[in-house]
Amino acid sequence: MAELFIDLASRTPAATALVDERGSTTWRELNDRVNGWIEVLRGHGVAAGDAVAVMAGNRRETFEMVLAGLHAGMTVVPVNWHLTAAEVAYILTDAGCRLLVVDAQRAAVAADAVARCGGPPPLTIDDLAPVPDAAEPTDQLCGALLLYTSGSTGRPRGVANRLFVAGAPFSRVGRLGDYAARTLRLPAEGRTLVVAPWYHSAQLFFALLPLLRGSTLVIEERFDPVRTLSTMARHRVTTAHLVPTHFVRLLALDPAVRDQLTPADLRLVWHGGGPCPVDVKDRMIAWWGPVLLEYYGATESGAITVIDSIEAGQRPGSVGRAVPPHEIVILDPAGRPLPAGRTGTVYVRRTGGSGFHYHNAPAATAAAHREPDLFTVGEVGHLDDAGYLFLTGRARDVVVTGGVNVHAAEVEAVLLRHPEVRDAAVVGVPDEEYGERVVAVVVAAEPDRADELPGRLDRHTRETLAGFKAPRAYRLVDALPRDDTGKLRKQLVRRMLAELPGGGA
């Protein structure tokens, strides 16, 4: 049997392991289908140590394929299905993929990508049709995950995820599951919702670990506020991973609809992937109860800090305290530690020298590490006296105006607290006198009343922020470019701003 869930397939063979919009799979069926997928991959020339890329949607077969690679010593490379053919080709080449598996919806882009990099033709997941096999495949070996960052500031970089380490004992995954149960309250049973794209590191982590501990995965192809709430009710979802953008869209529903569809069985909602405005979190807790558990982390690091709903009410705006084996240190530009309350670059110390590395990028790896076990992913923030972390923004997301640094995230957080703002982004545009000036790009909650909104926002920001941080201009748009995790694509915001009448005025 498949080593990672041999106990579940033996003890509860008829219980549901996976369910999506097309049907369901029991634990015994999952075991047999994973075995079949292993033979399919091997039959197409993929062996232990090889990389196989998967660019398919949220569906049962995708998770079966990933689990097959992780049981056959392969490196599974999740591919963002929104990428262009050129971007996909870069990942295939950088990761050295022997095979690309896609679904029909992405087949054309996949074929173009493979043609660009000279790889073998992509295989369509629907056409592979594995033969379920109860017999244990020979030579089972723990595989690995190679996750690529979004590439918002350049080409994407591959990060070796430390949950699955090629060639390591399968028992290592179980021990990490036990660790996640202690630090992130990972369930051993229940029903876990998968609604964000599976290829994101957090979504994949918060899907695979609950599954391997016995939780049913309820898989939705994409997020839709009403449909997702209905799915949660129909399948009695107990745990979910969501992002702040999901919260905003849920809260925008008519109150009567929200009341009717309040999840009754929900016990825990992890959230991260971007800053969550305090009022948004407060409203979600008032609606769903104290079930929110926020974490701060990155593809490079995994979860670093955690804060539950009760703590969040006591320290609004914090992303929590570091969980072992992590320690947070704040350093100034010269690398000197800063005391509580002082803002600087957020560094993470992971004991035991177990830092991360970027695939094929030793210079970038070295740049992220100050010491072998001390690294940063570029966040800026401070600690309070009790060790709670407050993030201000990213080191590279700073507007330098008149020689003074303005952190965009700080201004965005103030704008998002205004009841007439649905979404906001802050960027710097060239200014002959000051070098850069601060400009806010805003989505109005009530477009019909937006004519006087810039004036109201100017008064609002100046009540909270120093004058030099207040935006010098406000541009209203219908929507902002965010990816599936809710992260702003600042390059696209700047391009959008440049294309508006009057440019970045």
Side-chain angles (χ1 to χ4, degrees):
M1 291 186 176
E3 289 286 343
L4 287 173
F5 43 85
I6 185 172
D7 179 60
L8 293 160
S10 302
R11 181 165 44 87
T12 56
T16 301
L18 305 175
V19 57
D20 64 11
E21 298 163 28
R22 301 172 185 85
S24 62
T25 304
T26 67
W27 282 105
R28 183 66 200 213
E29 291 168 340
L30 177 60
N31 176 83
D32 295 353
R33 287 184 62 81
V34 167
N35 293 346
W37 279 116
I38 292 174
E39 296 306 316
V40 167
L41 293 173
R42 288 175 174 173
H44 283 86
V46 186
D50 290 338
V52 55
V54 182
M55 188 168 70
N58 283 12
R59 53 189 293 181
R60 286 173 293 152
E61 294 86 351
T62 299
F63 283 92
E64 293 167 1
M65 174 76 67
V66 170
L67 288 165
L70 294 176
H71 279 87
M74 301 168 188
T75 295
V76 179
V77 183
V79 179
N80 183 328
W81 61 65
H82 295 296
L83 298 180
T84 65
E87 291 168 320
V88 175
Y90 170 79
I91 290 175
L92 297 178
T93 301
D94 188 66
C97 294
R98 286 289 303 272
L99 191 68
L100 170 59
V101 179
V102 301
D103 55 17
Q105 188 176 346
R106 286 96 190 173
V109 172
D112 188 358
V114 167
R116 289 168 181 261
C117 62
L123 298 178
T124 305
I125 200 168
D126 300 282
D127 297 334
L128 295 178
V131 177
D133 190 352
E136 181 177 350
T138 58
D139 303 323
Q140 285 194 50
L141 185 68
C142 189
L145 290 168
L146 183 60
L147 298 153
Y148 277 77
T149 60
S150 62
S152 60
T153 59
R155 282 190 160 179
R157 295 170 178 162
V159 180
N161 178 276
R162 296 192 60 79
L163 172 58
F164 299 95
V165 175
F170 285 106
S171 58
R172 182 180 183 278
V173 179
R175 291 195 299 272
L176 285 176
D178 293 339
Y179 163 79
R182 295 192 302 271
T183 59
L184 295 165
R185 305 180 188 179
L186 198 74
E189 296 176 339
R191 293 155 299 280
T192 299
L193 177 70
V194 179
V195 69
W198 71 274
Y199 55 74
H200 287 293
S201 58
Q203 185 60 66
L204 190 53
F205 177 92
F206 285 108
L208 285 179
L209 275 184
L211 175 72
L212 296 177
R213 289 181 62 80
S215 178
T216 299
L217 288 192
V218 179
I219 305 166
E220 273 210 317
E221 187 173 354
R222 65 178 61 87
F223 176 83
D224 174 84
V226 172
R227 186 182 63 205
T228 297
L229 287 173
S230 299
T231 297
M232 295 171 79
R234 185 168 65 257
H235 292 285
R236 300 181 62 193
V237 165
T238 56
T239 53
H241 179 278
L242 300 175
V243 297
T245 300
H246 294 154
F247 294 159
V248 172
R249 292 182 63 188
L250 288 165
L251 290 168
L253 292 172
D254 183 279
V257 174
R258 293 206 309 264
D259 291 344
Q260 184 179 4
L261 294 175
T262 298
D265 298 279
L266 201 57
R267 299 292 177 265
L268 178 65
V269 176
W270 302 290
H271 73 96
C276 185
V278 172
D279 68 308
V280 169
K281 178 179 282 194
D282 289 345
R283 292 172 65 195
M284 287 301 301
I285 293 172
W287 177 17
W288 284 359
V291 298
L292 271 59
L293 187 70
E294 183 173 6
Y295 65 90
Y296 159 63
T299 302
E300 293 89 338
S301 61
I304 298 167
T305 70
V306 171
I307 187 168
D308 64 24
S309 297
I310 304 302
E311 292 174 297
Q314 297 166 345
R315 288 177 168 80
S318 174
V319 295
R321 289 192 290 188
V323 295
H326 303 101
E327 177 189 354
I328 300 290
V329 292
I330 309 297
L331 303 182
D332 69 10
R336 295 170 298 208
L338 291 171
R342 292 281 303 279
T343 297
T345 301
V346 178
Y347 274 82
V348 181
R349 177 174 284 115
R350 183 185 282 150
T351 57
S354 57
F356 67 91
H357 73 273
Y358 291 118
H359 184 66
N360 290 338
T365 302
H369 287 79
R370 185 165 288 275
E371 300 170 8
D373 61 349
L374 184 66
F375 60 87
T376 182
V377 293
E379 301 283 1
V380 173
H382 71 272
L383 295 169
D384 69 8
D385 291 334
Y388 284 84
L389 177 63
F390 293 77
L391 296 176
T392 307
R394 295 189 67 82
R396 57 177 177 261
D397 193 11
V398 172
V399 182
V400 183
T401 178
V404 179
N405 291 348
V406 176
H407 294 286
E410 180 183 14
V411 186
E412 289 163 356
V414 171
L415 290 170
L416 288 168
R417 288 202 291 269
H418 195 283
E420 295 181 73
V421 172
R422 175 163 294 172
D423 204 355
V426 170
V427 296
V429 301
D431 185 278
E432 291 184 3
E433 181 177 0
Y434 293 101
E436 285 185 300
R437 64 180 178 278
V438 181
V439 174
V441 187
V442 174
V443 178
E446 300 178 54
D448 294 341
R449 298 185 60 245
D451 289 346
E452 303 299 324
L453 182 57
R456 293 192 288 273
L457 292 180
D458 187 60
R459 291 190 292 274
H460 169 73
T461 55
R462 291 176 185 276
E463 289 174 355
T464 307
L465 299 170
F468 69 86
K469 298 181 182 179
R472 294 295 186 266
Y474 294 86
R475 305 304 302 272
L476 301 178
V477 298
D478 294 331
L480 288 172
R482 292 184 179 271
D483 67 17
D484 296 303
T485 66
K487 292 181 180 178
L488 275 170
R489 303 300 300 271
K490 284 296 182 75
Q491 289 179 324
L492 298 182
V493 172
R494 294 183 181 93
R495 187 182 307 166
M496 170 190 289
L497 187 58
E499 293 173 353
L500 290 174

